[in-house]
Amino acid sequence: MLAIIQARLDSNRFPGKSLKSIYGKVMIQRVYNRIKSAKEIEDVVFSIPKNSSNKKLENFCLKNDLKFYKGSLNNVSERMYKTAKKFKSKAFVRISGDSPLIDPILIDYAIKIFNKKKMDLVTNILKRSCPSGQSVEVIKTNSLKKILNKKLTQEEKEHVTKFFYNNIKDFKIYNFKVKNIKFKNLKFSVDTKVDLKNLLNKFSKKQFNNFSLIKK
């Protein structure tokens, strides 16, 4: 399955965070590497805004031979759909570019559920059992296409699956839960400089490189 990393540099709370170094590797490279290690993932691409503020992000992808699609800054739902369409994928996994410790086990688990059940969306954030920064959503591309014809609010355009959650009765949504989680109360998403500092204080380079959310 295709994984799409949603990334940008013009974050208000932490500008340029996608290219911030974490023990010698920029954040989005770490996200990319962890997703690539998931067994059910066939390809990984970046979905980035098409504006001058994100030119460095585009250049990083070009320099490192990473696939990407450039689209709308504010209508992220449309951008993600067009990314999936460009890479001819009937479904995709959406991962945020500020999740440097995303667990590939969660990705594999979500994809297996999606492949087994006929759903519009498989998620672990409708009712959270995983911490922030460990969010996984598997989205049927045609289902996302259908909502683009609706009158979306700006929030629904910006947050790709918000319309699904706001109209839950109209869609087939499966929320999966995970047991045996370590660090259940830790914030793994990097929204601010403080978030990144906290993760670096919590995990050494070796721990970062070998991180697993699930107790074995």
Side-chain angles (χ1 to χ4, degrees):
M1 185 175 285
L2 177 72
I4 302 178
I5 301 173
Q6 183 181 317
R8 65 187 178 114
L9 291 177
D10 41 11
S11 165
N12 292 326
R13 288 182 289 176
F14 191 177
K17 67 179 178 180
S18 292
L19 295 180
K20 292 297 181 183
S21 179
I22 300 175
Y23 294 124
K25 293 181 182 178
V26 301
M27 188 184 303
I28 58 169
Q29 184 70 61
R30 285 196 170 274
V31 178
Y32 179 89
N33 290 347
R34 290 188 67 81
I35 296 172
K36 282 285 284 185
S37 67
K39 296 176 182 178
E40 300 293 327
I41 292 296
E42 297 173 1
D43 204 0
V44 183
V45 302
F46 289 89
S47 186
I48 64 177
K50 187 179 181 180
N51 64 355
S52 58
S53 300
N54 287 278
K55 192 65 178 177
K56 287 184 179 179
L57 192 54
E58 178 183 350
N59 290 338
F60 178 84
C61 290
L62 289 169
K63 182 180 179 181
N64 292 278
D65 197 27
L66 301 172
K67 298 176 184 177
F68 66 95
Y69 173 83
K70 296 188 297 179
S72 173
L73 170 64
N74 297 316
N75 194 339
V76 186
S77 295
E78 179 189 77
R79 188 171 90 225
M80 294 293 279
Y81 166 70
K82 289 186 175 180
T83 306
K85 185 179 178 182
K86 178 183 177 181
F87 291 94
K88 300 177 181 178
S89 184
K90 293 181 179 180
F92 63 93
V93 182
R94 186 183 83 91
I95 302 292
S96 175
D98 60 9
S99 305
L101 286 170
I102 187 71
D103 197 321
I105 293 176
L106 295 179
I107 296 171
D108 284 336
Y109 188 55
I111 293 173
K112 287 177 181 178
I113 293 171
F114 184 87
N115 288 337
K116 187 176 181 180
K117 301 176 181 290
K118 295 181 179 179
M119 294 285 149
D120 296 301
L121 171 64
V122 171
T123 177
N124 67 343
I125 68 173
L126 186 57
K127 292 183 179 179
R128 282 193 176 274
S129 61
C130 297
S132 172
Q134 296 292 340
S135 302
V136 178
E137 293 173 310
V138 187
I139 306 167
K140 187 177 178 181
T141 305
N142 278 341
S143 299
L144 182 58
K145 180 183 180 181
K146 288 176 183 177
I147 77 164
L148 296 178
N149 297 321
K150 308 290 185 180
K151 291 184 178 179
L152 303 182
T153 65
Q154 186 52 51
E155 186 180 26
E156 289 167 343
K157 290 178 181 179
E158 184 178 348
H159 300 282
V160 180
T161 50
K162 190 72 174 178
F163 186 86
F164 290 95
Y165 299 135
N166 286 343
N167 300 273
I168 192 168
K169 293 181 180 179
D170 297 330
F171 299 99
K172 294 179 180 178
I173 301 175
Y174 187 96
N175 187 86
F176 71 93
K177 296 182 179 180
V178 182
K179 298 179 181 180
N180 302 320
I181 292 177
K182 296 181 286 185
F183 315 110
K184 203 164 188 177
N185 298 316
L186 188 64
K187 185 174 187 285
F188 289 95
S189 57
V190 180
D191 298 312
T192 65
K193 291 180 180 179
V194 173
D195 291 336
L196 180 55
K197 184 179 179 180
N198 288 340
L199 287 180
L200 293 174
N201 287 338
K202 182 72 176 179
F203 302 107
S204 66
K205 181 177 181 179
K206 184 177 180 181
Q207 289 173 320
F208 230 96
N209 292 340
N210 300 296
F211 177 80
S212 176
L213 184 72
I214 313 299
K215 295 176 183 177
K216 297 179 179 179

